[in-house]
């Protein structure tokens, strides 16, 4: 059965919007994009198309990834970092800014510190909006690239053991990815976090009918069991009682020594930037994918998403 | 008779430089550009050409519009926002900066807070300079897109009733556009402004032999008569006596209720950004073109201008 | 004999890495690039390739030159000025940033205030790194464009009389260029500088076996003899005793009057930006090349370098 492009002309706002079929379609196209880039092929798929990249807060990684994706497919860019200093300073609403750039471009990628801003943009826009992070809200393309990375490695999700480690209370990345994984199959989750930074009950409620969840405060037993170890940062600023932070912080740092306990078929992931959560001595471990596959998949997924949204793949 | 491209290799500094024939030529090409974009065609008209966009003050709208225009025609860009923090900080003169970028590109678009800066640039440049706003001086491409918007709607200028509303003293947009309109035909102007922000005598002197001018402080009678209602912002900061501002400010806000008095064939324009001068409830009125035709025409006019200046259309 | 492309896949970190054969190869390609641009030809040599331009300090000239070079050859760009405000602010290491952008692009051009940063980047990168200035370290593409400018004018280096003027202690440009010139032939150097800003002994030691060196504090005798007069800025801030600065500063300003003493076949060079070291009255002297050939050669050399590094010329 040929799958339909469910992305054509659609906004990409939240992982909640994707069906399993959508994801299967997108990842088949992502694999295609990977081949194009790896073969050094020139693609003109999006020639003549223009993408506005409207960033209200800095993020060179996501910014660069989208910009590369568009140009790898022959498209053009309106690169706008530091929007805060421009029209915003003149008092213009987000809605007016969006209606401006829908006139100049075929798709708008937006990053904004306020939750719901991408949705607000989508409500007035006639061109597709891609949410590239709306504060503590969502960052769906991060979750997509993470899921693609896991699927590429393990082929199937059923029975997969996935540990999320660090600040699971505030991490939009782990919330989104856990929901996507649960959509794809019967995954076993290990949520490893300090007590005050545990996965929100609301997310667990959404997941629990479909998956098994084990919660822990320490990593040393969990690391022996899991296929995927997904690390996020525990920020000092989250703790009102710093003695608690000092007590626990080292439990969440991935070292070479700790990696010795892990499975041979593990993959170690991180959304980056990292600030010490994974020791650099681990970077050359073949199981570490955060600076290699995971990063490159960000490019491929975004290429596929742009092409699908703009109707250039079927 | 085939019209000549009077733009080839020329600087675009001021609306004063355009003859009626120039404008007719340019707008014929603008219509062509509109068709290219609306049909989703790929154009390679400016392939191999590079445009420097040299912005000494932020303006994401004009910046994005030029950048899109160049790439829609296959050209490349050197996007330089925030010039103030670069060479300027090192003490370089504008002239040296211009002579640098004329070596790297085929055309330079400049925005600078000082009146006359674009002309200064043109004096030393061997490549065409486009003035994208020189402080309270001129912003000729804004006037061109405004005129094109009016012409597209009404086909001819003779007998057209055009109201300019708001700060007519400081608004470079209304000065330029009124001069262009007067060039094209026998227009009837209505200048609606608070006493302290009336159209300068100098501009009126330039216009008066060719057009009729009626001045008013209030909009409610004028709005019933006009074909074009062009709104600009009345800035609180212009008033030394704030009680005057408080008294009059509401006369210049366009509401749904006020629009009921307007003609069916009216078009409502605004150069943007707006900060309350037009209520958002008016946005969906089919006569409101500031977020639709007017904005898109900015792209088309700039595409035509780039192609004409670089000699790629005849 | 056909020369080999010694640049393929290589980092460009320091002028020390180039052999005479490398330079001959590169400049033959530079001449080719010059012809492409001057003929207004469209090149697709680097179509499908992406260059990241990672600037941790502002430099619109070098930034614009690389960006133009890449697009003149059909390639795409990830333009990142103001990196300091992005990932760096989040505490990410330079190494992680580099490993990110090697995933999104085929080559990375970096400018960073710290000496050795480009080398640090090259150590972790799988794609070529081009050093576009690492603080008081090196800026090899500046030296390359300077050498190409001299060679284009005089064809051979043997017997050429070259004066460097200004701050020879801190000027990375003059250090690099003097080393390159010494590689190419038997040049006669004149180092003209205030006592406290003389060429470092270390550089002179590297040069002295191959070239002749004359040092002077004043320019008026030297200017009569030389073929190349290369001016750099003497910064007030370098002097703890300002009376010394006041005494000497005028000796290093190039005026029309001073140029009357110079040879007819002289070329007057400056890396820019200038802040008064060369009077603007000299700009139209046909011997002044700093705003013309020297600047344009920056574009051509960088085009050749990108094409050679990415393996698109043989």
């Amino acid at each position: 059965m040929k799958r339909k492009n469910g992305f054509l002309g659609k906004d990409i706002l939240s992982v909640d919007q994707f069906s399993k079929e959508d994801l299967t379609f997108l990842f088949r196209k992502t694999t295609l994009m990977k081949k194009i880039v790896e073969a050094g092929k020139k693609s003109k798929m999006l020639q003549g198309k223009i993408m506005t990249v409207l960033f209200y807060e800095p993020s060179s990684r996501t910014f660069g990834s989208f910009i590369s994706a568009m140009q790898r497919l022959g498209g053009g860019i309106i690169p706008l970092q530091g929007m805060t200093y421009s029209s915003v300073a003149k008092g213009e609403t987000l809605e007016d800014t969006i209606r401006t750039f829908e006139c100049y471009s075929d798709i708008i990628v937006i990053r904004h510190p306020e939750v719901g801003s991408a949705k607000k943009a989508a409500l007035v826009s006639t061109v597709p909006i891609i949410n590239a992070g709306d504060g503590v809200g969502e960052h769906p393309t991060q979750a997509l690239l993470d899921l693609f990375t896991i699927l590429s490695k393990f082929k199937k999700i059923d029975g997969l053991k996935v540990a999320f480690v660090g600040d699971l209370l505030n991490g939009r990345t782990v919330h989104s990815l856990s929901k996507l994984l649960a959509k794809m199959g019967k995954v076993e989750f290990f949520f490893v976090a300090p007590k005050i930074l545990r996965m929100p009950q609301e997310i667990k409620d959404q997941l629990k009918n479909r998956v098994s969840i084990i919660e822990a405060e320490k990593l040393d037993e969990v690391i022996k069991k899991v296929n995927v170890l997904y690390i996020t940062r525990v920020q000092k600023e989250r703790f009102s009682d710093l003695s608690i932070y000092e007590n626990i912080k080292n439990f969440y740092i991935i070292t070479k020594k700790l990696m010795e306990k892990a499975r041979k078929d593990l993959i170690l992931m991180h959304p980056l930037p990292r600030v010490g959560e994974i020791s650099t001595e681990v970077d050359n471990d073949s199981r570490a994918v955060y600076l290699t596959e995971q990063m490159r998949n960000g490019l491929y997924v975004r290429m596929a998403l742009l092409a699908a949204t703009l109707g250039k793949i079927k």
Side-chain angles (χ1 to χ4, degrees), chain A:
Chain A
M1 189 193 78
K2 200 164 184 297
R3 286 174 205 284
K4 232 181 78 263
N5 176 1
F7 295 87
L8 178 58
K10 294 275 176 62
D11 304 304
I12 307 299
L13 301 179
S14 160
V15 295
D16 294 335
Q17 78 187 74
F18 306 126
S19 69
K20 190 171 172 178
E21 195 187 34
D22 286 336
L23 296 168
T24 307
F25 171 86
L26 185 71
F27 292 156
R28 228 166 6 100
K29 300 309 175 185
T30 301
T31 302
L32 187 72
M33 295 302 170
K34 187 177 173 179
K35 281 179 189 158
I36 289 175
V37 174
E38 286 181 351
K41 275 187 203 160
K42 307 171 189 178
S43 167
K44 300 187 177 177
M45 211 178 269
L46 298 183
Q47 202 172 60
K49 300 291 179 189
I50 305 283
M51 168 186 71
T52 298
V53 197
L54 207 59
F55 272 44
Y56 289 84
E57 55 177 19
S59 169
S60 56
R61 195 179 328 276
T62 307
F63 184 81
S65 173
F66 270 109
I67 278 183
S68 178
M70 190 66 184
Q71 291 178 97
R72 286 274 193 214
L73 296 173
I77 53 165
I78 304 180
L80 292 166
Q81 273 192 306
M83 278 301 290
T84 321
Y85 307 105
S86 187
S87 296
V88 178
K90 297 179 189 166
E92 185 172 85
T93 63
L94 177 62
E95 284 85 348
D96 278 12
T97 303
I98 292 297
R99 295 201 61 181
T100 296
F101 288 99
E102 73 175 7
C103 293
Y104 301 156
S105 54
D106 303 289
I107 191 162
I108 298 172
V109 178
I110 182 172
R111 186 183 194 99
H112 195 288
E114 277 171 40
V115 177
S117 49
K119 196 176 175 186
K120 213 160 114 181
L123 281 172
V124 298
S125 177
T126 55
V127 303
I129 299 289
I130 297 184
N131 182 2
D134 60 337
V136 295
E138 289 220 35
H139 185 10
T141 61
Q142 176 72 46
L144 289 171
L145 76 91
D146 288 339
L147 178 58
F148 180 77
T149 302
I150 294 169
L151 273 172
S152 296
K153 170 74 183 178
F154 297 102
K155 309 307 172 201
K156 63 189 195 61
I157 296 297
D158 284 339
L160 209 64
K161 292 177 174 61
V162 177
F164 288 114
V165 180
D167 181 353
L168 306 188
L169 179 64
N170 305 290
R172 64 183 174 195
T173 304
V174 294
H175 301 169
S176 296
L177 179 54
S178 59
K179 287 194 265 180
L180 277 192
L181 280 165
K183 252 177 217 189
M184 296 303 285
K186 293 216 165 298
V187 65
E188 293 177 43
F189 281 123
F190 296 79
F191 295 154
V192 183
K195 263 187 192 137
I196 65 157
L197 297 175
R198 287 165 70 173
M199 185 68 88
Q201 192 57 45
E202 182 203 332
I203 304 279
K204 285 186 285 187
D205 288 345
Q206 284 182 50
L207 300 172
K208 68 182 173 193
N209 291 326
R210 291 170 288 170
V211 302
S212 80
I213 294 175
I214 292 169
E215 296 194 79
E217 247 195 300
K218 292 184 183 174
L219 184 56
D220 41 5
E221 286 308 308
V222 169
I223 199 173
K224 299 174 187 166
K225 301 177 190 159
V226 296
N227 305 103
V228 175
L229 187 58
Y230 195 107
I231 309 299
T232 65
R233 191 178 166 199
V234 175
Q235 288 174 283
K236 199 174 178 173
E237 304 78 53
R238 303 289 187 193
F239 293 80
S240 48
D241 183 348
L242 280 184
S243 67
I244 297 180
Y245 173 75
E246 292 301 328
N247 267 334
I248 57 146
K249 64 174 182 183
N250 289 326
F251 297 146
Y252 303 99
I253 294 175
I254 308 302
T255 59
K256 209 169 169 177
K257 201 170 156 56
L258 191 61
M259 285 294 282
E260 285 168 12
K261 299 187 185 174
R263 294 170 60 143
K264 289 274 169 281
D265 73 342
L266 176 98
I267 58 173
L268 177 62
M269 302 177 72
H270 191 297
L272 300 201
R274 69 167 158 180
V275 192
E277 307 87 78
I278 302 178
S279 170
T280 55
E281 64 185 10
V282 177
D283 293 358
N284 291 326
D285 191 311
S286 64
R287 296 168 294 181
V289 299
Y290 45 89
L291 290 171
T292 52
E293 281 91 334
Q294 191 182 358
M295 191 77 74
R296 286 195 291 270
N297 289 338
L299 177 64
Y300 309 143
V301 160
R302 286 169 184 131
M303 288 170 75
L305 207 53
L306 290 171
T309 310
L310 292 168
K312 293 297 176 181
I313 48 179
K314 280 169 204 157

